[in-house]
Amino acid sequence: MYRWLALLLFTLPTYARPQTHGVAPALLPRYSPSAQKTWTCLDGSKDIPWASVNDDYCDCADGSDEPGTSACPNTSFYCVNEGHIGSTISSTRVNDGLCEKECCDGSDEPAGVCANTCKEVGESYRKEYEAARKLRKTGSKIRSTYIAFAQKEKKRLEAAIEASEKEIAEQEKEVARLKDIADRTEALSAEELEIKKQSPLYTSLLTHSAALKSLQREHKKHLEREKALGEILDTMRSNYNPNYQDMAVLEAVRGWEYHAGLPHIGEAEREEGVDEDDDAAKEDAAEEVPEGEWTAEELEHQLDTLLETDYVSLLMEHDKHVGPAESAAETLLYDVPAYLPDAFIPQYEAFRDSLVSWLAKLGIIRDPASRDAGDASKAREAYNAADHSLDLAKKELEKANEELSNLFDPTGYGADGEWKKLDGLCLTKDTGDYTYEVCLFGEAKQKPNHGGSTFSLGKFTSWHPSHDVAPGSPEYYSQQAYTQGTKCWNGPHRSVKLHLSCGTDNALLGIAELEKCEYLFTGTSPALCLPLEDEGKTKDEL
């Protein structure tokens, strides 16, 4: 019935409708007849009678003479949709007997075919639109607090960088001063150290070390030979035939059983396959080791550590142990140069050396030569500690500069820094069997709710991975990629695409596994709620 009615309506003349039917508002001024009742095609190719416009016959090469019919290919039809929003459809969908959703006024079909629903559609659209605007307005206020946080973070980092640069400059001067002291002190003590190395104690230590290394080498050779011989004798003990009455073999077996602490195996035991590694048969009485001597186990596991001893350091420690304690005055004499300007150090050291020499002769303080090595060690330790502290300060400065550069980077925390506050924020979604978690800019995980292993679904790799999406655009921040998660059995590494949209909460809304071990997370964040455009302009358009 409907098809018959439609076919009947199609036979009605379409020129009953005005020539401007289907024309977009921007082109209406160009659709008016001349004084001679003619009209020029929009491409200027020719003039036609005004009555030929929208007569369901294509006269113009560009099809502009049929804006309200489907007579010309590749043209557009404009639906006015009074009470809602106008829209454009392809001319091929005009007069096809189908009521297009985009044309709620039914103007794409002959009169009476499609009901005009623009009032209802418009009211529903405006409700949804106002709800979306309200959500976006609320979300944009939250987003503004994120931007304010980024600005505070910028000031904090800039202040920290400035303070760190000043501190590093001071530390560099101090490190240079301590290095100079260490270098000069070591130069003075090097000759004294060589003299100490000639002492009988040091020479004896080196001789004992060389002897121990030689003994260890020979001991290892004997252990290897003993192991090989033991394997040969074990084989003979298990396999020899006592019926041959070979006394030499018998004595060798008996001797091995005695020295190895093994029980005698008879013929019947061999046939039954008795385990030769019976712990009870092999247990020997614990060897008693004289007090102060090492056991075999200590020789095996601790001798290498002993042989790695730094004998130079040991020699220094020995001198500290046997030498007299320093007096406060003595220490002060050698510490003063650390606080003097460089220009006065040579004069002071000359005075100090002369004074110390006389005090040593009178027995008031010890010989300065005996303290050179200790001074060098302390000076080097002070320099190393200061240099290490300087390295840490430089790393902290480098880290702060990197954070500052990423703060307003479109490929980092956004051009306004709106994502910085969310760095490390973890969003979760319980699906029953599993709880899914994604920590923004961190890692995504799958956690079982009833026991089992937690799997990594990937770590943050980038924003929107498509090269067609420009960094910094709203679409760019609508997707994050997390890759290189735990590898699936006989499959790829787990990965996640996180799709985000404007919302008043940072939340995960849905989890889906699109392909094997490839997950789609959907969620919302106020960071995607951009401020509203001019409100008056938007209302006028409606």
Side-chain angles (χ1 to χ4, degrees), residues 408-441:
F408 299 104
D409 182 356
T411 62
Y413 296 122
D416 294 323
E418 65 271 24
W419 292 93
K420 174 61 179 176
K421 188 175 178 61
L422 304 182
D423 184 14
L425 176 67
C426 296
L427 313 178
T428 60
K429 178 68 175 177
D430 188 340
T431 61
D433 291 333
Y434 298 98
T435 293
Y436 291 88
E437 176 187 79
V438 58
C439 296
L440 301 180
F441 303 99

Side-chain angles (χ1 to χ4, degrees), residues 2-14 56 94-98 108-110 113:
Y2 172 79
R3 296 296 299 171
W4 178 84
L5 179 61
L7 289 173
L8 179 63
L9 291 172
F10 292 160
T11 63
L12 296 176
T14 58
D56 205 22
V94 176
N95 294 332
D96 63 353
L98 300 176
D108 61 310
E109 302 298 326
V113 173

Side-chain angles (χ1 to χ4, degrees), residues 140-158:
S140 67
K141 289 180 179 179
I142 301 174
R143 181 179 183 270
S144 66
T145 66
Y146 294 170
I147 295 174
F149 175 86
Q151 292 295 335
K152 289 181 180 179
E153 188 69 4
K154 176 177 180 288
K155 292 179 180 178
R156 183 190 70 80
L157 288 170
E158 288 175 341

Side-chain angles (χ1 to χ4, degrees), residues 88-101:
T88 302
I89 63 172
S90 171
S91 61
T92 58
R93 299 165 66 185
V94 176
N95 294 332
D96 63 353
L98 300 176
C99 299
E100 308 298 342
K101 184 171 65 174

Side-chain angles (χ1 to χ4, degrees), residues 311-326:
Y311 293 109
V312 173
S313 298
L314 193 62
L315 183 62
M316 298 303 179
E317 291 299 322
H318 172 73
D319 284 348
K320 291 180 182 179
H321 180 71
V322 300
E326 293 180 336

Side-chain angles (χ1 to χ4, degrees), residues 6 10 57 137 141 162 182 265 286 289 332 394 442 450 497:
F10 292 160
Y57 183 81
K137 185 176 182 179
K141 289 180 179 179
E162 183 180 0
I265 296 181
V289 178
L332 180 61
K394 287 182 176 179
H450 308 293
K497 288 183 179 178

Side-chain angles (χ1 to χ4, degrees), residues 457-478:
L457 302 184
K459 294 183 178 180
F460 176 75
T461 306
S462 67
W463 287 104
H464 205 299
S466 175
H467 296 294
D468 298 329
V469 179
S473 65
E475 185 182 1
Y476 181 73
Y477 299 117
S478 68

